[in-house]
Amino acid sequence: MARVVFLLRFCGLEPANGAPVGAVTEMRSGQRLQAVDFWMRNPDYLADALIDDEEADGRADGVALAKQILADREPQLRRLPMTKWRFGAWEELSDVLAPLLLGGLVVHQPTVRGDRTVAEHDYWLMPEGRDFIDTLLAAEPKTFGWYRDRAELIATVAKDTGGSALKARQYKRIEYASTAGMALIPPITDAVQTRLESIEAAAA
Amino acid sequence: MSSFSEVVAMCADATPERAGQVMDEMGIVLQPQPAAPVPLKITRIAFSGTKAPSGADPEPFDVDYSFEDGLTAVTSEKNLVGKSTILWLIRWALTGRRPADLADDVREWIEEVTVEGVVGTECFVVHWTLRDGATHDGSLTTSDGAGSSFSGQPGFAEAMGAFMLDRLRLSPTPWWKSQRGGSAGEGAVSVHGWPSYFPALLVRGDQVGVLLGENFEGGQAVTLLQVFLGLPWALTHQSASTVLKDLSHKQEAANRRARDDAKARDTVLKPTRDRLAAVTRELSSLASSPGAVSPDDADARVQAFATSAAAVATAAEQLAQAQQDLEVARADADELTKQLSALREDAVIVPLIGRVRPVACPRCTTEIAEERRAEEKSGNCMVCVVRIEAPESEAAAIDEEAGLAKAAQGAVETTIAAYAAAKAVHAAAVAANEEARSNVDAVSKAAETTARTRALQIERARLEGRVEQAGTVALPPAEEDDRQAVIACARAEAERRRAEGAKNLLEELGKEIVYVAHRFGFSQLEDASPKLNASLAMRVAGKDSNFGRRSPGEKLRLKLAMVIALLRVGERLGIGRHPGLLLVDSPGGEEMVELDVGNVLKELDDLCKELPHLQVVCATARADDVRALLPDERIIHGPDWIEVW
């Protein structure tokens, strides 16, 4: 639950037109939420993405941050593996979102097609949700501070990219892409470690 | 006066026991004084056969003569008609050996011979038959009842030699027989027995070369002089001299063999020694060449590499185990840490969420009615109207989980330490292995040198073995021992004692020789000095002379004088060993034209009367002289005085 609220808070965008009154952030599409959640649950994939960004001249601290993630053993301590569904990593968030929606911390709006199937789920973090986060941070700054920092970092990688594009980016990693349906997506910690070592060796 | 052994021991710097032992072992005869002389006489000779001269009819003969003490003459006017036969048959009978001088045809005529005699007080009879001129069989019978039969010449000679030596109480004399044509010291020990002594009983007109006996062989005259003069310690001296020569000879021979052997060995070993020197040089140069690795070192390095490689394998295994342990420990710790984090999150979130007031149904988003809100006051959920239990405190669970996580982290730290230690061990093993590898690389680089060194070392060991082997089987030079010193001292002491005993004896003998020689008509002899070496220095008509320079007639007279003098001195001084039988053959032969045989016979006859133990048998062709001097019973002659038989 903490994960989702922090992601909505820091990876959400400015509320657009049509947003509920008072909304703090807007998470347009559940797909984007699943994508940023994947990065939070798999620090090695995030580290890989950070390195990609640095190599693509997108940022200067990608490699250093990736290195720190591995040094802190986050892939081992923070990993929450995700199952690959038909269209990539996905997990049912209804149970997590239920109390948030119930309490009015988050507002949910599905876009329904003509055949009554849902085309898109959109989420807004409401002021009550922002207060909830502040309460968490006040109660356990160390525990919940990590979620805040990590969500902020993921935001720098996800930027305002849409859910499909983020998923497409994550698919570029062969381990992700080659995972069979309904199987857990495997860690790539060793590969990232090797990547970092070869970057260091090249720099030396 | 000290005993002989004591004197020898002192001289040789040995104990008397040791000196005695050496002399005994080496067969040195300690004979201070020879036994008293034993007289020997011939009493009868008989022989028969068939005369078969060429161109004449065979004619049987049967001859039998008796002998008295004193002078007996065997005579015939013609030569070669049997007078010497009598003497040679006596010689044959007494020695058992057929005399070479016995004419071939004559001995082939004879079929049977009997000679009788007396030795000491014992009568003896020698009887033998002949076949083709040689001994066939025969017997020796004595009055004591002892007797033996024999067949062939060896048996005859053995029987007579043993009998005569024993009865005449003579000892065999050892002597050193030099090897003909050999270098100085070459030769062997021989023994003078009865056949060598017999010539002292013989004076031949045709052989006057030596003072005593027949010839020069083996120092015969010297031996005969010493034996028949009966000198004290003479046999001791002779045996010691012989043994000493034998010892020296054997030592020299052993030394020479050792020298020859060493020389031959050196020659054979030279290529081996040369090769050994070359191999040693090359080994030393290889050892000092840069980067050289000795074979032993190379083996050690290869072994070290193998050991270090095994150590690396073991360390790697242990490191892998440590790593696995670490991974397991970390996984445990990580899991606990995750759970702890989750607990901590829940501890904050769950109560917070619990305090959130629902605004709408989460299922259909319909706003919650006011009456439902009132349910909360009754302690029920406003959404599903279920009783809400106060949430349990998570604090205890968190504490427990934190404790577990901490313990797990401690285990991780421990495993990390173990892993670090294993890693260090592995690193050290790898480093050692790398070093061993570089050492082995050096071995590989020096492989050719090392292989060469190894091959040379093997060759050197083989060559050294060969040289050493040659040394162990080499003939050792003769060992120096105390025996030579003892024997040399024995000889010196025996010589001293013999010389002492001979001093007066030789002087007396010289006087007698002059006296007897004068009676034989050698009136110009003024002085005679016989020596122990059987030489005879003399003064003749005011001039120094010696036996060898005198005429045959004078030599004959001197030889006769020598034997007679021996007997007279022996008689007078109670010494001397001559048995008193003298066979004289042809004193007036063709070379003796100047000799007055009649006078010689007269003097022999007179001397026989003076010396009761003397018996002389003289064969001569001067029948007239004999008849003028001797009665008929003292003359053996043929019926016609021309032929004896």
Side-chain angles (χ1 to χ4, degrees), chain B residues 147-169:
Chain B
S148 58
S149 52
F150 48 81
S151 63
Q153 173 161 302
F156 194 1
E158 195 179 323
M160 292 315 296
F163 176 70
M164 296 311 286
L165 278 182
D166 178 66
R167 297 307 195 273
L168 293 173
R169 298 182 204 153

Side-chain angles (χ1 to χ4, degrees), chain A residues 1-2 73 75-80 98-105 132 135-136 139-140 143-144 147, chain B residues 330-331 333-335 337-338 341 344-346 348-349 352-353 355-362 368 383:
Chain A
M1 184 184 293
R73 303 189 65 251
Q76 288 84 17
L77 293 172
R78 296 287 177 179
R79 179 167 181 259
L80 293 170
L100 299 174
L101 297 173
L102 185 66
L105 279 64
F132 178 70
T135 308
L136 291 180
E140 278 281 351
T143 301
F144 295 105
Y147 286 103
Chain B
R330 270 192 173 145
D334 289 351
E335 192 53 40
T337 305
K338 280 184 188 179
S341 292
R344 280 186 174 143
E345 287 173 24
D346 288 353
V348 176
I349 290 173
L352 265 181
I353 287 296
R355 284 202 297 274
V356 169
R357 291 178 64 81
V359 290
C361 172
I368 294 173
V383 178

Side-chain angles (χ1 to χ4, degrees), chain B residues 4-14 485-493:
Chain B
F4 187 80
S5 292
E6 283 169 349
V7 175
V8 169
M10 199 178 296
C11 159
D13 197 17
V486 169
I487 303 300
C489 287
R491 184 180 68 164
E493 179 59 12

Side-chain angles (χ1 to χ4, degrees), chain B residues 303-382:
Chain B
Q303 182 60 42
F305 177 71
T307 307
S308 71
V312 168
T314 306
E317 213 171 284
Q318 287 168 351
L319 181 61
Q321 184 60 48
Q323 190 163 14
Q324 195 184 334
D325 291 349
L326 180 58
E327 278 165 11
V328 169
R330 270 192 173 145
D332 288 349
D334 289 351
E335 192 53 40
L336 286 167
T337 305
K338 280 184 188 179
Q339 287 174 11
L340 182 60
S341 292
L343 277 176
R344 280 186 174 143
E345 287 173 24
D346 288 353
V348 176
I349 290 173
V350 170
L352 265 181
I353 287 296
R355 284 202 297 274
V356 169
R357 291 178 64 81
V359 290
C361 172
R363 176 71 182 85
C364 60
T365 67
T366 307
E367 200 171 338
I368 294 173
E370 202 51 45
E371 64 268 26
R372 277 291 187 98
R373 290 184 184 276
E375 287 286 333
E376 291 274 314
K377 289 173 184 164
S378 321
N380 294 331
C381 172
M382 69 174 77

Side-chain angles (χ1 to χ4, degrees), chain B residues 184-196:
Chain B
E186 287 288 293
V189 173
S190 188
V191 175
H192 280 311
W194 173 240
S196 297

Side-chain angles (χ1 to χ4, degrees), chain A residues 118-199:
Chain A
V118 177
E120 185 181 295
H121 293 279
D122 297 326
Y123 302 95
W124 291 270
L125 183 74
M126 300 310 287
E128 290 84 351
R130 184 185 57 201
D131 297 344
F132 178 70
I133 288 171
D134 290 342
T135 308
L136 291 180
L137 284 169
E140 278 281 351
K142 199 179 168 194
T143 301
F144 295 105
W146 182 82
Y147 286 103
R148 178 197 58 211
D149 295 347
R150 180 49 41 98
E152 282 177 346
L153 178 59
I154 292 169
T156 66
V157 176
K159 299 191 180 76
D160 56 358
T161 311
S164 297
L166 287 180
K167 193 136 288 185
R169 179 176 178 180
Q170 287 171 348
Y171 254 96
K172 282 181 184 167
R173 189 74 216 183
I174 185 67
E175 290 85 348
Y176 185 110
S178 61
T179 301
M182 301 312 291
L184 291 179
I185 295 168
I188 57 167
T189 315
D190 291 347
V192 175
Q193 180 67 43
T194 306
R195 196 175 172 195
L196 281 172
E197 282 166 7
S198 63
I199 289 167

